[in-house]
Amino acid sequence: ILMTKVDVDAAIRATKGSSLWLSRMQWRHVLLLGYVEGAAAMLTSIHVFIAEDIAREFNLSGSAVPLLQTFLFFGFFTGVPFFGYLGDRVGRKQGLLVSVALTQIAQMLVFVLPPCYAALALWRGLTGFCYSGFACLAWTLLSEIVLAGDRALTHLLMQLFWPTGLLAVVGLAFYVDLSTGEAQNNWRAKVIGVWLLGLPAFAAVYSSTESIRWLNANGKHEATLEVIQEMARINGVSCPEYACTK
């Protein structure tokens, strides 16, 4: 097995095949990580559809309900450095898997925390902290499987999943209101809906490939060659000779 660093850009070009822009492997990652982007949009925007019910159930008024969204973004602000460091230490994919798993757990804490405003604030803050890894690691993972010149348009494609996530949460809120009645405090049902829609995000990340650039930079030579082999297999091209030599 090759025990020196490889030219990642050359490997990406060699396994790209006849594609004029993105290879099949790269399109696959746009779709997989795009779903994660859509899940992040749902987590961010669900507050719009549950704020009124929360205010009614907890007798809140004034800025108390909008402040919950501030706690979400404060948690996000503090979580980005943590998950950025985690992604550097254990890998982009592994760090993103941790972020997705913790986010799913954090969302369900609303059903076990005491029914008070402090608990709601803690819930939103923890959710923001946990899902901050979506932003920094999903984008990084996608960036590092394409050439530098392809990143702008690749990120644009991924960003299209954000409004898709917004539309999904609108449809979810409409369906829950239609099914349970707008007068009822059904905000927990909407949270469950977002949780269910977020479950495939874990499978999407798990199905992605670890960053070839991170593997190469951290001396994981065998894993780097395995990614090159997978890229060649999915793209339907011959594997570079140096990557297929055992």
Side-chain angles (χ1 to χ4, degrees):
I1 298 175
L2 184 68
M3 298 303 292
T4 58
K5 291 183 179 180
V6 303
D7 185 335
V8 173
D9 284 349
I12 292 175
R13 292 190 186 95
T15 57
K16 195 173 182 179
S18 58
S19 301
L20 296 177
W21 183 29
L22 297 181
S23 67
R24 274 180 263 174
M25 178 76 159
Q26 292 165 341
W27 276 112
R28 176 187 176 193
H29 278 70
V30 168
L31 295 175
L32 292 174
L33 300 175
Y35 190 92
V36 176
E37 179 77 359
M42 291 187 285
L43 286 167
T44 303
S45 60
I46 187 60
H47 179 78
V48 176
F49 303 98
I50 65 177
E52 185 177 342
D53 285 345
I54 289 176
R56 184 164 51 241
E57 180 174 330
F58 292 91
N59 296 317
L60 302 176
S61 60
S63 62
V65 176
L67 193 60
L68 289 174
Q69 196 72 339
T70 302
F71 286 113
L72 176 79
F73 287 114
F74 178 77
F76 187 94
F77 175 77
T78 57
V80 166
F82 171 79
F83 283 104
Y85 175 78
L86 185 66
D88 286 340
R89 294 291 296 175
V90 304
R92 320 306 194 196
K93 177 181 176 178
Q94 299 303 319
L96 188 52
L97 283 172
V98 171
S99 177
V100 173
L102 291 179
T103 299
Q104 293 299 97
I105 294 172
Q107 286 186 87
M108 290 296 99
L109 288 180
V110 72
F111 296 97
V112 297
L113 291 175
C116 62
Y117 184 79
L120 285 173
L122 177 63
W123 168 60
R124 289 303 277 170
L126 282 174
T127 300
F129 178 90
C130 295
Y131 102 92
S132 62
F134 289 29
C136 60
L137 294 179
W139 286 76
T140 303
L141 187 56
L142 182 60
S143 297
E144 294 181 348
I145 201 169
V146 300
L147 298 172
D150 294 331
R151 287 175 186 167
L153 288 176
T154 304
H155 286 171
L156 176 62
L157 287 172
M158 183 179 176
Q159 190 65 35
L160 293 176
F161 286 84
W162 183 273
T164 303
L166 298 181
L167 290 174
V169 87
V170 169
L172 169 68
F174 177 78
Y175 174 77
V176 172
D177 286 340
L178 193 65
S179 301
T180 62
E182 294 185 16
Q184 300 182 28
N185 287 334
N186 54 24
W187 65 275
R188 289 181 178 84
K190 295 172 184 175
V191 171
I192 291 176
V194 170
W195 181 82
L196 290 172
L197 290 173
L199 283 177
F202 190 88
V205 177
Y206 186 81
S207 300
S208 66
T209 304
E210 181 58 90
S211 166
I212 185 175
R213 298 182 191 276
W214 183 86
L215 293 171
N216 191 48
N218 284 272
K220 299 183 182 296
H221 310 296
E222 183 174 354
T224 300
L225 299 184
E226 289 175 354
V227 171
I228 295 174
Q229 293 168 16
E230 184 178 4
M231 291 167 61
R233 178 182 59 81
I234 292 177
N235 294 336
V237 299
S238 300
C239 181
E241 184 178 351
Y242 64 85
C244 298
T245 302
K246 297 294 184 180

